[in-house]
């Protein structure tokens, strides 16, 4: 009977552990409130590693079952991707977990050769190094950075102002390791006390910071975040800009937005803003200027705009297109500030694009992916060399405007705050997927950007979640219905510079250096030692 086959039963157990790990990850992930599941999500993987040591192919089996766990995590955490593009979702669900296996490969090799203690230390270093990498290469996809898992409960993430989100990753990994060791030691008192201390002490410190940090600091300005609610698939790119602008101002005036210092419109609220060379005579811009002057307020909006490519050598780029009359141009998605004070325009283009959907990573090698996956909006965006990364309102408040995907990049946000942004604005176009859980996931991630830099975050969304988040990461006001609205709140201008803002991702770099040292030590031992350490 097959049930008496010990190998078969062992694989059933390994399969169960892999599925359990993936489910713990998925249901512990934002916007689910059960973040504590992440404290146990790696534990089944460690048991998989233990139970594959004596098999014929220990590393291969460990990686196969770990990969299954990571696939389940990817699907459960970002299932809403199916509503954007089935092909893109499938590619992400099966390719991204392959990249996530990298730290597990190094961990397994180091643990086998250098022993258990150094193995676990290396796992933390290699995993944080991997998360640092996925923030910076052209296929950047930091959705599942483990530190993001604490975003639903900002009281536990206050120390991110020192370490950034990667500090949260280290904490969750350490908890998982010591819970596994606790179970393995059959709840030995020593391991129980260590495990309890690792969980409780940082929690108490973070909660104390949360209680002591003031809710509001600095000068107050009144901001209106406009929830435009225009379907991106059926309306937005078909209506004229004049019609859209009229709708926006109707919503703003209906909800008291005429009594504010700054109006914030979402990503690509003006989907056809014409040419950069014609901004001074642009009729759409003149209409916006007339409205804000009558309301005595400033307005910043997301838009899509074109600009002629003057550099002949760059015209061969797949991001450069040609008009029918032979002019070469680039397309930008960005933000434009209209000032009531002097009518001067300030523009910033998006720097972190959605891979494949908005731009081509390493186009020489991966241009075929665009043809296979397609694109929701059909755009190919460039990043402009000359930007007003920091915009200044008529009242003197300085802010940056992040565009959707950019807001999950902690280091980019930090760099803009260091440049002088006292407020973080985020524009989003979430009408591609009618899924409020996905919108809330973005919102919770943005709460971490607030904590890391101690800045108010104002989010204006098209059919997602429009919200205000204070410098403690607390969501103080939000709106997520599928109707137009204008959300008003006082927003505080804070010029305080946190340790993370000042020194950047020092924690990630520190772990990379440790990982490099461990790796070279592993190489040296592998060369001069014949017998690996038993693990």
């Amino acid at each position: 009977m097959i049930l008496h086959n010990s190998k078969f039963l062992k694989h059933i157990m390994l399969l169960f552990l892999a599925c359990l790990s993936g489910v713990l990850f998925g249901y512990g992930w934002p916007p689910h409130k059960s973040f504590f599941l992440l404290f146990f999500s790696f534990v089944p993987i460690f048991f998989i590693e233990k139970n594959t040591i004596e098999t014929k192919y220990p590393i291969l089996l460990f990686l196969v079952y770990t990969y299954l766990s990571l696939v389940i995590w990817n699907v459960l955490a970002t299932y809403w991707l199916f509503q954007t593009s089935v092909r893109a979702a499938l590619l992400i669900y099966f390719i991204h977990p392959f990249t996530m296996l990298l730290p597990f490969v190094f961990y397994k090799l180091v643990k086998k050769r250098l022993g258990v203690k150094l193995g676990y230390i290396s796992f933390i270093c290699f995993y944080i190094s991997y998360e640092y990498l996925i923030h910076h290469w052209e296929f950047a996809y930091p959705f599942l950075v483990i530190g993001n898992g604490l975003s639903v409960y900002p009281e536990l993430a206050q120390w991110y102002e020192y370490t950034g989100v990667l500090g949260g990753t280290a904490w969750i990994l350490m908890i998982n390791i010591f819970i596994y060791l606790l179970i393995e030691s059959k709840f030995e008192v020593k391991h129980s006390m260590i495990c309890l201390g690792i969980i409780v002490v940082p929690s108490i410190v973070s909660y104390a910071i949360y209680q002591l940090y003031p809710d509001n600091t600095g000068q107050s300005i009144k901001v209106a975040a406009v929830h435009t609610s225009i379907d991106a698939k059926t309306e937005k790119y078909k209506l004229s800009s004049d019609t859209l602008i009229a709708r926006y101002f109707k919503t703003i005036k209906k909800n008291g937005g005429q009594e504010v210092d700054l109006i914030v419109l979402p990503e690509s609220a003006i989907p056809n803003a014409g040419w950069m060379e014609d901004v001074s005579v642009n009729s759409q811009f003149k209409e916006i200027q007339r409205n804000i002057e009558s309301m005595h307020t400033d307005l910043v909006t997301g838009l899509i705009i074109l600009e002629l490519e003057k550099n002949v050598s760059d015209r061969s780029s797949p991001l450069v297109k040609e008009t029918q009359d032979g002019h070469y141009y680039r397309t930008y998605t960005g933000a434009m500030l209209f000032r009531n004070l002097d009518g001067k325009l300030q523009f910033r283009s998006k720097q972190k694009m959605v891979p494949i959907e908005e731009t081509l990573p390493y186009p020489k090698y991966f241009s075929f992916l665009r043809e296979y996956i397609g694109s929701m909006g059909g755009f190919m965006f460039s990043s402009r060399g000359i930007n007003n990364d920091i915009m200044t309102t008529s009242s003197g408040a300085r802010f940056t405007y992040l565009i959707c995907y950019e807001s999950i990049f902690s280091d980019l946000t930090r760099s803009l705050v260091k440049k002088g942004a006292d407020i973080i604005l985020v524009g989003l176009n979430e009408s591609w997927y009618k899924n409020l859980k996905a919108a809330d996931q973005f919102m919770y991630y943005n709460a971490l950007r607030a904590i890391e830099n101690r800045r108010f975050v104002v989010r204006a969304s098209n059919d997602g979640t429009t919200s205000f988040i204070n410098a403690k990461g607390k969501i103080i006001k939000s709106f997520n219905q599928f109707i137009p609205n204008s959300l008003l709140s006082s927003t505080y201008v804070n010029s305080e510079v946190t340790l993370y803002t000042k020194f950047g991702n020092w924690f990630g770099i520190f772990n990379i250096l440790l990982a490099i040292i461990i790796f070279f030590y592993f190489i040296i031992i592998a060369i001069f030692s014949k017998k690996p350490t038993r693990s």
Side-chain angles (χ1 to χ4, degrees):
M1 292 291 290
I2 195 168
L3 291 177
H4 294 290
N5 188 321
S6 61
K7 287 186 178 180
F8 174 78
L9 292 177
K10 189 166 191 175
H11 283 291
I12 291 296
M13 180 192 70
L14 293 172
L15 181 63
F16 169 76
L17 289 171
C19 293
L20 176 62
S21 175
V23 169
L24 289 171
F25 275 124
Y27 285 98
W29 203 251
H32 297 293
K33 304 291 185 179
S34 47
F35 66 92
F36 58 88
L37 294 179
L38 297 176
F39 296 164
F40 304 89
S41 53
F42 281 94
V43 174
I45 293 178
F46 294 136
F47 275 108
I48 290 172
E49 192 269 335
K50 177 188 175 183
N51 284 279
T52 54
I53 290 173
E54 301 297 336
T55 60
K56 189 175 181 180
Y57 304 104
I59 294 180
L60 179 61
L61 270 181
F62 170 61
L63 294 179
V64 166
Y65 284 108
T66 300
Y67 174 74
L68 174 61
S69 170
L70 298 175
V71 169
I72 294 171
W73 175 17
N74 275 257
V75 173
L76 291 178
T78 58
Y79 65 92
W80 51 268
L81 286 172
F82 274 121
Q83 293 178 282
T84 60
S85 168
V86 173
R87 288 184 177 182
L90 290 173
L91 188 72
I92 290 171
Y93 294 153
F94 292 103
I95 299 299
H96 183 241
F98 268 118
T99 69
M100 297 176 77
L101 282 177
L102 282 172
F104 293 95
V105 173
F106 289 118
Y107 154 71
K108 181 66 176 174
L109 293 173
V110 170
K111 184 170 178 279
K112 182 179 180 180
R113 178 66 64 174
L114 303 181
V116 175
K117 290 183 180 178
L118 201 53
Y120 289 132
I121 293 171
S122 71
F123 180 62
I124 295 172
C125 295
F126 286 132
Y127 205 99
I128 292 172
S129 299
Y130 161 75
E131 289 193 338
Y132 183 90
L133 170 68
I134 60 174
H135 275 85
H136 294 91
W137 70 328
E138 290 191 28
F139 275 108
Y141 184 76
F143 266 102
L144 300 185
V145 167
I146 297 171
N148 286 336
L150 298 180
S151 60
V152 296
Y153 200 75
E155 291 90 335
L156 281 181
Q158 294 301 302
W159 37 279
Y160 283 23
E161 69 169 296
Y162 304 106
T163 66
V165 69
L166 298 185
T169 296
W171 187 48
I172 292 172
L173 290 177
M174 287 176 65
I175 292 173
N176 273 270
I177 290 169
F178 278 96
I179 287 178
Y180 168 72
L181 293 175
L182 178 63
I183 297 171
E184 276 288 276
S185 69
K186 298 180 180 179
F187 299 92
E188 195 178 85
V189 174
K190 175 185 174 182
H191 286 99
S192 299
M193 296 305 294
I194 294 174
C195 190
L196 188 65
I198 289 173
I199 295 173
V200 172
V201 173
S203 299
I204 292 175
V205 170
S206 182
Y207 191 76
I209 295 172
Y210 182 84
Q211 293 298 322
L212 294 172
Y213 195 86
D215 286 332
N216 305 313
T217 56
Q219 172 194 356
S220 170
I221 65 170
K222 207 166 190 178
V223 178
V226 185
H227 190 85
T228 51
S229 192
I230 296 177
D231 195 287
K233 293 181 179 179
T234 60
E235 286 188 288
K236 185 174 179 180
Y237 297 96
K238 296 178 181 178
L239 296 174
S240 69
S241 295
D242 292 337
T243 301
L244 292 172
I245 291 168
R247 281 197 189 185
Y248 301 153
F249 278 104
K250 182 179 179 181
T251 300
I252 293 164
K253 292 174 181 178
K254 180 181 178 181
N255 293 281
Q258 63 270 32
E259 301 173 1
V260 300
D261 299 298
L262 179 64
I263 297 166
V264 185
L265 289 174
E267 173 190 13
S268 64
I270 303 176
N272 182 12
W275 293 90
M276 189 73 73
E277 289 78 8
D278 297 333
V279 292
S280 61
V281 294
N282 188 306
S283 61
Q284 306 166 49
F285 291 0
K286 288 184 176 181
E287 179 62 22
I288 292 173
Q289 194 66 38
R290 279 194 293 270
N291 273 279
I292 65 169
E293 285 178 0
S294 67
M295 297 165 64
H296 306 291
T297 185
D298 294 346
L299 179 146
V300 62
T301 180
L303 47 71
I304 296 174
I305 194 166
L306 312 177
E307 184 175 42
L308 292 174
E309 177 54 69
K310 299 172 183 177
N311 192 333
V312 177
S313 62
D314 288 345
R315 290 178 180 176
S316 59
S317 168
L319 301 178
V320 176
K321 302 299 179 184
E322 185 179 4
T323 64
Q324 291 182 346
D325 54 356
H327 291 96
Y328 293 88
Y329 68 94
R330 290 182 181 270
T331 305
Y332 304 116
T333 179
M336 188 80 80
L337 173 65
F338 297 80
R339 285 163 46 111
N340 165 56
L341 180 66
D342 52 20
K344 288 184 178 180
L345 301 176
Q346 298 175 34
F347 175 76
R348 175 185 182 270
S349 72
K350 187 175 184 178
Q351 295 172 30
K352 293 288 187 180
M353 314 292 177
V354 180
I356 311 301
E357 168 60 34
E358 294 182 335
T359 192
L360 282 176
Y362 310 107
K364 184 177 178 180
Y365 306 103
F366 295 103
S367 58
F368 69 93
L369 289 176
R370 175 74 174 218
E371 297 175 10
Y372 171 73
I373 294 174
S375 170
M376 292 181 295
F379 297 105
M380 289 282 284
F381 295 124
S382 297
S383 182
R384 195 166 186 252
I386 302 174
N387 278 312
N388 294 113
D389 283 330
I390 308 304
M391 301 180 183
T392 307
T393 67
S394 297
S395 63
R398 296 175 299 173
F399 67 87
T400 191
Y401 185 108
L402 298 170
I403 300 165
C404 194
Y405 194 59
E406 288 186 311
S407 65
I408 64 175
F409 288 85
S410 54
D411 201 46
L412 171 66
T413 308
R414 176 208 68 83
S415 68
L416 295 173
V417 171
K418 190 176 182 181
K419 282 184 178 181
D422 298 327
I423 304 171
I424 300 169
L425 307 183
V426 182
L428 308 104
N429 182 19
E430 297 175 302
S431 183
W432 294 113
Y433 44 88
K434 299 289 185 178
N435 189 315
L436 294 178
K437 286 188 176 180
D440 287 345
Q441 191 176 79
F442 266 97
M443 178 179 68
Y444 286 124
Y445 290 174
N446 292 168
L448 299 182
R449 306 293 84 80
I451 296 169
E452 288 167 340
N453 302 283
R454 295 302 183 191
R455 295 292 185 270
F456 259 71
V457 175
V458 180
R459 306 172 76 257
S461 175
N462 180 33
D463 262 354
T465 303
T466 294
S467 54
F468 287 80
I469 305 171
N470 71 11
K472 294 162 60 169
K474 181 181 179 181
I475 299 161
I476 57 176
K477 191 175 282 191
S478 67
F479 182 85
N480 60 6
Q481 298 178 37
F482 297 118
I483 56 174
N485 191 19
S486 181
L487 205 63
L488 275 66
S489 181
S490 293
T491 301
Y492 290 82
V493 179
N494 186 15
S495 58
E496 173 189 345
V497 178
T498 67
L499 182 73
Y500 177 73
T501 303
K502 186 174 182 179
F503 294 106
N505 217 330
W506 65 269
F507 189 74
I509 294 171
F510 172 73
N511 277 273
I512 289 173
L513 292 174
L514 280 181
I516 292 171
I517 292 169
I518 292 171
F519 180 74
F520 278 109
Y521 180 54
F522 165 79
I523 295 295
I524 292 168
I525 295 297
I527 292 172
F528 294 102
S529 176
K530 294 181 180 180
K531 293 182 180 181
T533 301
R534 194 78 170 167
S535 61

